[in-house]
Amino acid sequence: MSQPITELITFIEQLNQDAAVSAKKMEELIYQDPSSSIVKARVFAEEILKRVFELENLSLPPQSSLNDKIIFLSNGGYITSEVQNGFHTIRMTGNKAAHTANYDDLSEAIMLHKIVYKIAVWFYEIYTTLQLTVPSYEYPKPPAKASEELQDFKKEVFQLLANIQSGKGDQSERTVTQPVVTGDEGLFKADLSERESYLMRELRRLKDSSKEAIENANAFSKYKEYLHVERKVQLDLEKSLTKNEILQKPSLILLCGSVGDGKSHLLAYLKENKPQLLQDYQVFNDATESFSPTKDAMETLREVLEDFSDQKIGSSDKKVILAINLGVLHNFINLQHESVTFNRLKGFISNSGLFSQKIITWFSEEFFDLISFSDYRSYELTERGAESKFFSEILSRVFAEKSFNPFFLAYKEDLNNSNQTMVHENYRFLQNAFVQKQIVQLTIEAIIRNKIVISARAFLNFIADLIIPDIQTPVRFIDQFERLEQSVPTLLFKRRERSFILKAMYELDPLHSRSSFTDQLIIDLNTLSDWSNVTNDFISDQTAQLWIMPFRNDSDGSLSGESFVQFSETIIRLSFLTNEKYARQIKSQVFNNYLRRLYDFNHGRTAGIRSFYDEFKDVIQKWKGTPLKDYVYLSKQTETIRIAQKLNLKPNVSHLQFVQEEVLETFKPTLSLAYNIGKDEPIPIEVDFALYELLQQVLRGYCPNKKDEEDAINFVEFVDKMMNYGEKSKELIVHYPNDGRFYKLYKDDFGSFVFEKE
């Protein structure tokens, strides 16, 4: 049997008898008169706060409101953020119950029941040294006897409470049997017991811990087929297979890349859906597939590739597809093998440029085809920025309102069964097309900024992390602050410990970007008593509006302390995720410019390429310091006499590969520059986003420190190498910074040194 609340909080009776009496009355009224029960919870909060003021010897004017007291204690550090949220929830819910005619929300009364218990525990732990046993919390059960009308209503409540107490309300780690669904039955099957969540069952299959996450080149389930998104690498492999289909000669197709880039998934897809393309091929999914205990990786590879050795390739008709990691392939072709050689294969790989800076997707030559997964991007470049058909399509597969979408069908089935948690609200929020667009843009930015690879499997796990909070309780029994804590914006930007993607998302939190628009939004939230206009203007999603409605309708003053911080942070994140105008205003201009430069360098827009070469020249001069145009200091800034040489930078663009298409699917994700140095080979440098961002700061006057130089070591070494090709042997500028004098030291036409004032 559940303990009545009067027993649950007997541990505070000696400290606050009035609060204990109010709690007792609150529980007595929960099922008889929820509105009055909520009012009693507010009285309980008043009594607790009154006693805190007495024990702490604090005072406020007699007319001070409940909100005034909460703000005062919060600002003084007397209450924790969780307790502060609890008081605010009781205050706002109490106001609603007191000022709304015929207000009778049983679920809110039950929700306050738990908050009252939490506040009582906090009060006991802070203000007494007694060693009484504090019982664990249990939800109040409906009374055994009640009117027939009330009994009908309570059946649903009793079932919900029973589920919560038995663990069914918290489904984060529960194991639900996944039915095997094949044939005409489709991907969704309604076969769970009452109150179990179909949506949770489907979402668990997205996680890395799911059996669906295990890739096998020989197996491809209907579920994986539904989630499969066609990519250019698949089309190129199919073209390669079709090209070789009619050829009566040996064929070796190398699928090169790294772990987790989708090689196994693609092979399994083709085997299931286009088996005719693979029927003549022997497929080796990785270099260890045919291992024997007595052979190492190189011996195994030699066995697999023996028919493609110089000695046998002319007489063999073998066809092989080999999925292999780049490092293993590099080691194999550079190894001396006994009795056989692979010079033709080695020459093919050299001709492909696989291990060079060139962009390689599909390269074909006589007996060999090579497909480099590393050079197929998961996003595209356009003149307007970056986009990703791949990630967008994956999101569509999960959230589209389609009759064949198992996730949407599961969501609808749960709602039909009155099973609604924050998982369902988060799912509905992510059905918003602009929210999905923002998730894709954040993903692309994370890839570019951090140089990470996000596979389909990692992205699916990321989607699950966006939807599923650690605890799932029916939304009717959680307060407004818990809703914010379990909503998509918080799960997206405040769970960096869960995965490498969420770690990158933490860095992209709009709270970290300084903007006048965000500053004004914060000012409005701090100064306006009515937040309706602000939230209506900034938040463009109905589900998000529901999350903040309790705060917007607060008629008893504003939030304070950590409660206000949590609310305002959520407003900013929701605005970023739902409001296109606001998102555009706070978008990093440096990142936008980098995308534009990437497009210039890969598409071949001469004006943009020339502009960045000019910027790069200015950066070198500002990094080293310059006394005059085209001169760069050789000596350090701290020296009393500074020496500078003339440095002529001659750009080279012959290394650039241009793709004359409006949408670039294949491109270099860095800015590749090179400079001519006489008859020697041009000196190259790759500018990734981290270096680009630093160089933009230098252009704006920032002086790099020692850490910057360590982080940009490749740039520092490049500049030092370029300085060796300056004109210091012909002339020097001597600068006296203290009085601004300049002298030029050079050789005249007769070889004599000349030292003259500049």
Side-chain angles (χ1 to χ4, degrees):
M1 286 292 294
S2 171
Q3 293 174 294
I5 198 168
T6 49
E7 294 182 23
L8 281 175
I9 64 168
T10 52
F11 48 86
I12 69 164
E13 284 185 335
Q14 296 183 37
L15 290 171
N16 197 330
Q17 180 66 34
D18 291 338
V21 169
S22 295
K24 175 184 178 181
K25 193 64 177 175
M26 181 222 175
E27 181 164 88
E28 290 176 351
L29 293 169
I30 281 180
Y31 291 103
Q32 298 176 15
D33 187 353
S35 178
S36 297
S37 176
I38 291 170
V39 172
K40 288 299 179 183
R42 183 184 170 104
V43 174
F44 164 85
E46 293 272 15
E47 296 295 342
I48 290 290
L49 289 174
K50 176 182 176 182
R51 186 60 177 148
V52 169
F53 272 80
E54 293 172 354
L55 293 171
E56 297 287 357
N57 197 25
L58 304 172
S59 61
L60 277 177
Q63 67 273 21
S64 298
S65 67
L66 177 59
N67 191 50
D68 294 332
K69 295 173 184 176
I70 297 171
I71 292 174
F72 184 88
L73 294 179
S74 173
N75 293 340
Y78 293 99
I79 56 178
T80 65
S81 58
E82 183 181 10
V83 171
Q84 180 188 3
N85 287 348
F87 278 124
H88 276 306
T89 299
I90 292 176
R91 173 182 65 81
M92 290 186 285
T93 309
N95 288 343
K96 192 160 50 174
H99 301 120
T100 304
N102 301 318
Y103 187 81
D104 193 33
D105 195 323
L106 178 59
S107 61
E108 289 200 343
I110 295 173
M111 177 261 293
L112 291 190
H113 179 275
K114 187 173 184 178
I115 293 176
V116 165
Y117 169 78
K118 288 181 177 179
I119 291 176
V121 172
W122 165 81
F123 184 73
Y124 168 78
E125 291 176 345
I126 295 297
Y127 292 106
T128 185
T129 58
L130 298 174
Q131 299 297 316
L132 300 177
T133 300
V134 177
S136 300
Y137 177 76
E138 292 186 28
Y139 284 91
K141 292 182 180 179
K145 295 182 179 181
S147 67
E148 183 176 347
E149 179 182 357
L150 190 59
Q151 284 286 12
D152 292 338
F153 175 70
K154 288 176 182 175
K155 286 180 181 179
E156 178 187 359
V157 177
F158 187 88
Q159 182 63 56
L160 286 171
L161 295 176
N163 288 342
I164 293 172
Q165 292 178 209
S166 66
K168 292 182 181 180
D170 176 3
Q171 301 183 28
S172 56
E173 298 298 332
R174 296 182 60 243
T175 301
V176 177
T177 302
Q178 298 182 10
V180 179
V181 184
T182 58
D184 296 331
E185 292 180 321
L187 287 170
F188 177 73
K189 188 174 183 179
D191 62 346
L192 295 182
S193 60
E194 187 179 4
R195 307 307 308 168
E196 288 184 328
S197 171
Y198 287 99
L199 182 58
M200 276 300 301
R201 181 185 72 183
E202 299 306 316
L203 291 175
R204 284 196 195 92
R205 301 169 78 175
L206 300 179
K207 297 181 71 66
D208 281 340
S209 55
S210 165
K211 67 179 182 181
E212 301 288 350
I214 302 173
E215 293 294 353
N216 185 337
N218 297 312
F220 200 80
S221 66
K222 293 292 183 182
Y223 177 77
K224 286 184 179 179
E225 184 170 347
Y226 171 74
L227 290 174
H228 176 77
V229 176
E230 191 175 86
R231 299 177 64 184
K232 189 174 186 296
V233 64
Q234 174 189 331
L235 300 179
D236 285 348
L237 177 55
E238 290 179 7
K239 289 177 185 177
S240 177
L241 290 166
T242 302
K243 172 181 71 72
N244 296 331
E245 194 172 12
I246 60 174
L247 298 180
Q248 299 300 316
K249 65 178 184 179
S251 170
L252 173 63
I253 300 177
L254 296 172
L255 306 183
C256 304
S258 56
V259 176
D261 57 12
K263 295 188 293 293
S264 298
H265 174 87
L266 180 52
L267 289 171
Y269 172 82
L270 292 178
K271 185 172 183 178
E272 178 69 24
N273 294 276
K274 301 182 180 182
Q276 71 280 4
L277 293 177
L278 300 177
Q279 62 184 356
D280 296 328
Y281 281 86
Q282 189 175 0
V283 177
F284 294 90
N285 188 38
D286 57 52
T288 64
E289 185 166 321
S290 60
F291 263 153
S292 72
T294 60
K295 295 179 181 178
D296 62 20
M298 295 301 103
E299 290 173 323
T300 300
L301 264 180
R302 189 182 69 178
E303 180 182 283
V304 171
L305 297 175
E306 188 170 358
D307 284 278
F308 301 95
S309 65
D310 301 330
Q311 289 73 25
K312 292 188 176 183
I313 195 166
S315 58
S316 172
D317 60 355
K318 192 171 185 179
K319 293 190 176 184
V320 169
I321 295 176
L322 175 63
I324 187 169
N325 290 339
L326 288 169
V328 176
L329 179 61
H330 184 272
N331 292 338
F332 178 80
I333 63 173
N334 288 289
L335 186 69
Q336 293 293 326
H337 301 276
E338 294 182 9
S339 70
V340 293
T341 57
F342 291 92
N343 292 326
R344 296 183 74 167
L345 176 59
K346 185 175 182 179
F348 163 74
I349 293 174
S350 177
N351 293 341
S352 73
L354 178 64
F355 296 108
S356 70
Q357 293 295 319
K358 291 173 61 178
I359 302 172
I360 303 300
T361 51
W362 174 25
F363 184 78
S364 180
E365 195 175 87
E366 199 174 4
F367 307 112
F368 306 109
D369 288 88
L370 184 150
I371 291 180
S372 174
F373 277 66
S374 301
D375 284 331
Y376 289 90
R377 307 294 166 202
S378 55
Y379 60 97
E380 301 83 48
L381 287 179
T382 74
E383 191 172 4
R384 301 171 301 281
E387 57 189 35
S388 174
K389 291 180 287 188
F390 176 60
F391 292 130
S392 297
E393 182 60 28
I394 291 177
L395 286 170
S396 178
R397 298 292 170 94
V398 177
F399 297 104
E401 295 186 15
K402 304 290 186 180
S403 60
F404 51 81
N405 178 2
F407 300 94
F408 179 63
L409 294 176
Y411 166 75
K412 288 206 306 181
E413 189 68 21
D414 279 352
L415 296 191
N416 290 338
N417 294 334
S418 300
N419 187 353
Q420 186 167 354
T421 67
M422 281 302 295
V423 171
H424 301 82
E425 296 205 356
N426 287 337
Y427 182 87
R428 184 166 64 247
F429 177 72
L430 284 166
Q431 288 182 304
N432 182 308
F434 184 73
V435 174
Q436 292 181 31
K437 181 179 178 181
Q438 287 297 86
I439 297 298
V440 170
Q441 288 298 311
L442 286 168
T443 303
I444 295 172
E445 189 167 350
I447 291 171
I448 294 174
R449 283 179 175 270
N450 300 281
K451 293 194 284 191
I452 57 179
V453 176
I454 299 180
S455 64
R457 171 47 53 192
F459 191 69
L460 290 171
N461 184 78
F462 168 60
I463 292 173
D465 283 338
L466 286 186
I467 303 175
I468 307 173
D470 292 329
I471 296 176
Q472 292 92 57
T473 300
V475 289
R476 295 176 62 185
F477 300 102
I478 61 175
D479 64 53
Q480 52 265 45
F481 291 100
E482 289 176 308
R483 279 197 174 193
L484 299 187
E485 195 65 26
Q486 296 177 22
S487 65
V488 168
T490 303
L491 302 183
L492 174 60
F493 293 117
K494 291 187 68 175
R495 288 175 124 191
R496 55 178 168 172
E497 73 287 345
R498 293 186 72 92
S499 73
F500 74 98
I501 301 179
L502 287 175
K503 181 179 179 181
M505 293 299 164
Y506 170 80
E507 300 297 332
L508 299 177
D509 190 338
L511 298 177
H512 298 156
S513 61
R514 292 304 305 271
S515 163
S516 59
F517 303 100
T518 301
D519 291 342
Q520 185 59 52
L521 175 56
I522 293 174
I523 290 172
D524 290 343
L525 292 174
N526 272 287
T527 57
L528 298 176
S529 57
D530 184 358
W531 291 327
S532 298
N533 291 336
V534 176
T535 56
N536 287 337
D537 290 343
F538 279 86
I539 298 175
S540 305
D541 179 80
Q542 292 183 351
T543 301
Q545 289 284 357
L546 288 175
W547 291 340
I548 62 173
M549 186 176 293
F551 305 95
R552 190 177 60 190
N553 294 338
D554 181 14
S555 61
D556 187 20
S558 302
L559 299 175
S560 61
E562 288 298 320
S563 298
F564 175 76
V565 170
Q566 182 181 357
F567 170 72
S568 58
E569 286 180 348
T570 304
I571 293 296
I572 293 170
R573 290 170 178 146
L574 284 172
S575 300
F576 174 76
L577 291 173
T578 67
N579 189 307
E580 185 172 4
K581 180 180 178 181
Y582 176 75
R584 186 172 59 250
Q585 289 169 334
I586 70 169
K587 181 79 171 179
S588 167
Q589 193 58 45
V590 174
F591 184 75
N592 286 341
N593 290 340
Y594 182 72
L595 292 178
R596 191 174 298 113
R597 294 300 191 201
L598 280 182
Y599 190 79
D600 292 341
F601 271 70
N602 286 279
H603 184 71
R605 295 201 298 190
T606 304
I609 296 172
R610 180 189 293 115
S611 175
F612 186 66
Y613 266 103
D614 291 341
E615 280 186 11
F616 199 75
K617 177 181 177 180
D618 291 343
V619 166
I620 292 177
Q621 293 183 355
K622 290 186 177 183
W623 187 283
K624 299 291 290 186
T626 176
L628 299 170
K629 183 180 179 182
D630 295 331
Y631 286 84
V632 180
Y633 283 120
L634 291 164
S635 55
K636 296 181 180 180
Q637 185 178 1
T638 55
E639 297 180 8
T640 55
I641 301 176
R642 302 199 68 187
I643 309 298
Q645 70 166 341
K646 193 169 188 178
L647 185 63
N648 284 319
L649 298 175
K650 299 178 180 179
N652 183 300
V653 296
S654 62
H655 62 289
L656 296 177
Q657 295 175 256
F658 300 138
V659 180
Q660 300 295 326
E661 296 177 1
E662 184 178 350
V663 177
L664 304 183
E665 296 183 345
T666 302
F667 53 88
K668 289 198 69 170
T670 57
L671 304 174
S672 182
L673 292 84
Y675 289 88
N676 293 324
I677 47 172
K679 296 181 180 180
D680 295 336
E681 286 291 319
I683 299 179
I685 181 171
E686 298 293 327
V687 180
D688 61 12
F689 176 76
L691 178 57
Y692 179 85
E693 189 173 37
L694 175 60
L695 298 185
Q696 292 301 306
Q697 292 175 338
V698 172
L699 282 174
R700 294 193 297 269
Y702 174 74
C703 184
N705 55 37
K706 186 175 180 180
K707 183 179 183 305
D708 294 324
E709 293 182 353
E710 292 173 352
D711 292 341
I713 185 63
N714 290 336
F715 173 74
V716 172
E717 291 176 350
F718 167 82
V719 173
D720 290 343
K721 189 179 295 184
M722 293 297 296
M723 292 294 286
N724 292 332
Y725 293 90
E727 299 184 11
K728 55 181 176 290
S729 61
K730 296 180 180 180
E731 67 175 28
L732 292 171
I733 293 292
V734 181
H735 178 207
Y736 292 85
N738 288 338
D739 55 14
R741 287 179 294 148
F742 289 92
Y743 295 88
K744 181 181 288 187
L745 176 64
Y746 63 96
K747 284 184 179 181
D748 63 14
D749 294 338
F750 297 95
S752 299
F753 284 101
V754 178
F755 189 72
E756 64 182 21
K757 190 171 184 180
E758 177 72 9

